[in-house]
Amino acid sequence: MTTSQGHWSKHVWRHAAPTLVLFSIFCIGQHHSLTLASSIPPLPPHMANHTFLFIVGSHHSGTTLTDLVMCQHSQITCLMDTGEIENEGQFLQNLYPPAREVGGMMGYGYREGNHFTETNSLVSEESRNSLWKTWGKYWDKSKKVVVEKSPPHIIKTRFFQELFTPERTFFIGVMRHPLACAHYLYQNSLTKHHPPSLNRCGDNYVKHWLAIYGTLLEDAPYLKNFKMIQYEAMTSSVESATSTLKQLHAFLGLPAETNLEFQAPKGRRALLGYNGDHHHIRIRISKPHWRREFEGACNLKSDYYKQVTSRYETKLNEFGYSLKDIDHFESPKAFEKYMIHPSS
């Protein structure tokens, strides 16, 4: 936030605080959210007949799998064949820099300027049109739901809701144990030659994970349509995956269409057979499989890991995970009101 923006914000808050407080109380009673009145015109007709779905979460949390599985529905279209990494919309647009340029995968969540809300200076009809033009060329506009998936947008949800209106904007958050999300750091044998990247036992990743999900938790009351899913719960059984998908379809107001393929715990990836065709998706059903490789990179009995555990355990428990028992997961208390609970 610039100095001028800061002075402006203080001025507005000082004079508008009573009104905003009363409005927030009204919103809580009426809609269970803190959504404020829009500052830009309504959606034009060519956008208003669509639902805008944003899939967000930590990197490697399962956002890509969720994106592609959702895209199997006959009324859902995703960003496909864009030529960008994982077809993420953050790399296609030119309104704001992608996360890799403003902190990187383990730093973007710390920068205040990366957190966009409905008061961001980029909120405008021009910004909305720019994103529609950029992303829209890859969407099948004959379909009702258009999807954008970029993990770092986890701290920009309120901004997108303001652009595309609370009524037409939906969010799916994806959670996974932070050490599982950091699996790429220690699963590659090449990292064994770079001890500095491993000797912190996930410290940096857990800290950043807590920061971005903490921001999402603060923003959640402002979101009119938001659901959270837990990767471990969704992939624990065929029944859980199928149940999760059905509930997500219902969340979007769509009839259930379950066309999932599953595989046994053999193989390395949760997403197999994807070669540009989003109708070839397989979900790997298994228990957490990354512990052995993490233990190979970090001594769980070391004093340093004990310090990491002491530093983050209590907070991480609120999100359903543990560093003392890294195989354990449970429904996150912090997001309980937003959770989709699959039947098993």
Side-chain angles (χ1 to χ4, degrees), residues 80-118:
M80 300 292 292
D81 303 316
T82 65
E84 294 292 347
I85 299 173
E86 301 293 353
N87 291 306
E88 292 179 9
Q90 64 164 326
F91 300 122
L92 297 170
Q93 54 75 44
N94 56 14
L95 285 180
Y96 49 86
R100 63 189 177 194
E101 297 178 11
V102 283
M105 193 179 297
M106 289 192 289
Y108 71 86
Y110 299 136
R111 298 193 182 186
E112 184 179 353
N114 293 340
H115 179 212
F116 287 14
T117 70
E118 56 280 332

Side-chain angles (χ1 to χ4, degrees), residues 173-187:
V174 186
M175 296 186 71
R176 190 183 187 189
H177 196 297
L179 295 182
C181 294
H183 189 208
Y184 73 98
L185 289 174
Y186 49 84
Q187 75 172 140

Side-chain angles (χ1 to χ4, degrees), residues 54-200:
F54 293 88
I55 298 175
V56 300
S58 170
H59 284 87
H60 305 284
S61 63
T63 54
T64 297
L65 179 64
T66 303
D67 175 44
L68 295 173
V69 168
M70 291 299 290
C71 199
Q72 291 184 95
H73 195 286
S74 61
Q75 287 303 309
I76 298 179
T77 178
C78 304
L79 297 176
M80 300 292 292
D81 303 316
T82 65
E84 294 292 347
I85 299 173
E86 301 293 353
N87 291 306
E88 292 179 9
Q90 64 164 326
F91 300 122
L92 297 170
Q93 54 75 44
N94 56 14
L95 285 180
Y96 49 86
R100 63 189 177 194
E101 297 178 11
V102 283
M105 193 179 297
M106 289 192 289
Y108 71 86
Y110 299 136
R111 298 193 182 186
E112 184 179 353
N114 293 340
H115 179 212
F116 287 14
T117 70
E118 56 280 332
T119 64
N120 190 276
S121 61
L122 288 175
V123 172
S124 67
E125 188 174 13
E126 291 73 21
S127 293
R128 175 203 284 165
N129 291 337
S130 176
L131 291 178
W132 173 262
K133 181 179 179 179
T134 301
W135 295 339
K137 68 177 67 174
Y138 300 102
W139 286 327
D140 178 352
K141 298 187 184 69
S142 68
K143 298 187 177 184
K144 176 182 178 182
V145 180
V146 296
V147 182
E148 192 285 322
K149 183 273 302 181
S150 294
H153 287 165
I154 190 173
I155 60 174
K156 289 179 169 57
T157 54
R158 290 162 62 181
F159 169 72
F160 291 122
Q161 177 177 258
E162 183 69 8
L163 289 183
F164 297 105
T165 76
E167 292 73 24
R168 306 303 302 176
T169 311
F170 287 66
F171 299 93
I172 296 174
V174 186
M175 296 186 71
R176 190 183 187 189
H177 196 297
L179 295 182
C181 294
H183 189 208
Y184 73 98
L185 289 174
Y186 49 84
Q187 75 172 140
N188 190 330
S189 61
L190 293 176
T191 61
K192 294 179 180 179
H193 301 294
H194 302 281
S197 67
L198 300 173
N199 62 12
R200 302 197 67 182

